[in-house]
Amino acid sequence: MNHNTPDAPLSPLPRTGFDRFQEAIRYARTEAMITGLAALSLYRFAAAPPPGMIERIDVLVARTRRLRSTHQIRVVRAVEPPHPVEIDALPVAPVPRALADAVSALDDAGVVRRLLTEAVSGGHCEPGAVVRELNRARLLTRPHVVDAVDSLLAEGRSIAEDRLYAMVREFALPDPLWNVDLRLPGGPHLGGVDAFWPDQSVAVELDTRAPRQDDDALWTEYTRKREHLERLGITVVHLTPRKLRESMDQQATVVRTALMAAGDRQPAAYVVVLPR
């Protein structure tokens, strides 16, 4: 079995929790992993109970396994189980999958919101990965989950915007106009962008969309706006939260290259810039 390793070392698991988790894995035997609230406790989520306080341990196995739940162990099945992360020598489901399995058994809106928000603000994963798993588990029909997802996406956008500000500052890019709307003089609204350099006609747009049931419509609207701006001679640089987190230097180079290439392009159409 291939295991991924968390980026940062975690403190040792208390023995009482460790023994119970080991017992759950031994019960499920091969190709099994801890998931749900138990997994989030292993990731040291503040919003999850500590390992020793987990009443029932969720264990993720392949759908074809013949295994029954017990009083202390809940068997969760997957058509294609993900690659586990190894924590304290235990196989653990990745955070997005563990969150979905935890949320499926929770009715407390406050707990669900705190878990989802901590996943993003704590740097465990991107909002899109969480929403994909919630959608796969058909949890986006539950009102308290939808409300929590809205908070999650707002948190994810705020973090991505902070990273964009940091990129401009740390890599000494020219100061743009932040969070503006673009409009043709006396004409239609062209849409909002997260950063705009009017002298070079370069815009940056953060793609913080998440795959939800209306994703196709959102993607169509986003593509239409981008194509319209580019027909007017405005270069649109598309950045995702993950790219900013994992390769900020490369994204800064992309933006710098677009700014430097402005002199080689035909002049862009004049647009009115308004605060958003």
Side-chain angles (χ1 to χ4, degrees):
M1 185 188 302
N2 293 325
H3 297 295
N4 299 320
T5 304
D7 292 335
L10 299 173
S11 57
L13 185 66
R15 200 68 205 169
T16 52
F18 182 79
D19 291 341
R20 293 182 62 231
F21 290 141
Q22 272 197 327
E23 181 183 342
I25 289 298
R26 282 197 298 268
Y27 173 77
R29 298 183 183 178
T30 58
E31 301 297 323
M33 65 194 80
I34 305 294
T35 191
L37 273 179
L40 300 180
S41 74
L42 289 169
Y43 284 109
R44 310 304 194 264
F45 268 58
M53 299 295 290
I54 298 293
E55 295 180 2
R56 200 177 193 196
I57 299 170
D58 291 345
V59 177
L60 183 64
V61 300
R63 187 179 63 179
T64 54
R65 292 285 308 280
R66 293 185 177 181
L67 199 64
R68 293 183 179 180
S69 297
T70 70
H71 179 67
Q72 294 188 336
I73 300 170
R74 182 171 76 107
V75 175
V76 181
R77 304 183 188 280
V79 176
E80 294 184 9
H83 291 295
V85 174
E86 188 174 292
I87 302 176
D88 293 327
L90 291 167
V92 183
V95 169
R97 176 63 203 235
L99 274 170
D101 290 334
V103 168
S104 69
L106 291 171
D107 295 322
D108 189 317
V111 173
V112 170
R113 184 164 50 252
R114 287 194 295 273
L115 287 172
L116 298 190
T117 299
E118 186 175 350
V120 174
S121 62
H124 294 281
C125 55
E126 300 294 344
V130 176
V131 180
R132 269 192 296 273
E133 285 294 340
L134 294 174
N135 196 28
R136 177 204 54 76
R138 300 179 182 178
L139 294 170
L140 295 182
T141 57
R142 302 182 184 183
H144 70 285
V145 176
V146 173
D147 290 344
V149 165
D150 289 341
S151 297
L152 170 75
L153 297 179
E155 179 78 17
R157 166 158 280 279
S158 176
I159 292 172
E161 287 175 346
D162 287 344
R163 288 176 182 154
L164 181 59
Y165 299 148
M167 183 190 78
V168 169
R169 182 178 63 252
E170 293 174 14
F171 292 90
L173 295 172
D175 288 332
L177 301 176
W178 295 107
N179 295 314
V180 295
D181 277 322
L182 304 180
R183 184 184 298 274
L184 287 173
H189 175 239
L190 300 172
V193 294
D194 295 283
F196 184 60
W197 288 265
D199 292 341
Q200 294 85 2
S201 296
V202 172
V204 164
E205 184 159 26
L206 288 172
D207 180 8
T208 54
R209 295 172 306 111
R212 300 172 73 169
Q213 285 132 334
D214 56 354
D215 187 55
D216 287 345
L218 287 173
W219 176 250
T220 300
E221 179 184 348
Y222 168 80
T223 303
R224 186 184 300 117
K225 178 176 72 173
R226 180 175 180 173
E227 290 176 347
H228 193 176
L229 290 175
E230 291 183 342
R231 282 198 299 271
L232 294 171
I234 297 171
T235 299
V236 181
V237 179
H238 170 258
L239 298 180
T240 65
R242 182 174 180 177
K243 288 178 181 178
L244 280 172
R245 176 170 61 88
E246 296 182 353
S247 58
M248 184 181 288
D249 57 338
Q250 294 179 19
Q251 308 318 306
T253 299
V254 170
V255 174
R256 191 186 305 279
T257 300
L259 293 171
M260 293 175 64
D264 298 330
R265 300 193 305 268
Q266 291 293 323
Y270 176 76
V271 295
V272 177
V273 181
L274 301 170
R276 185 162 60 169

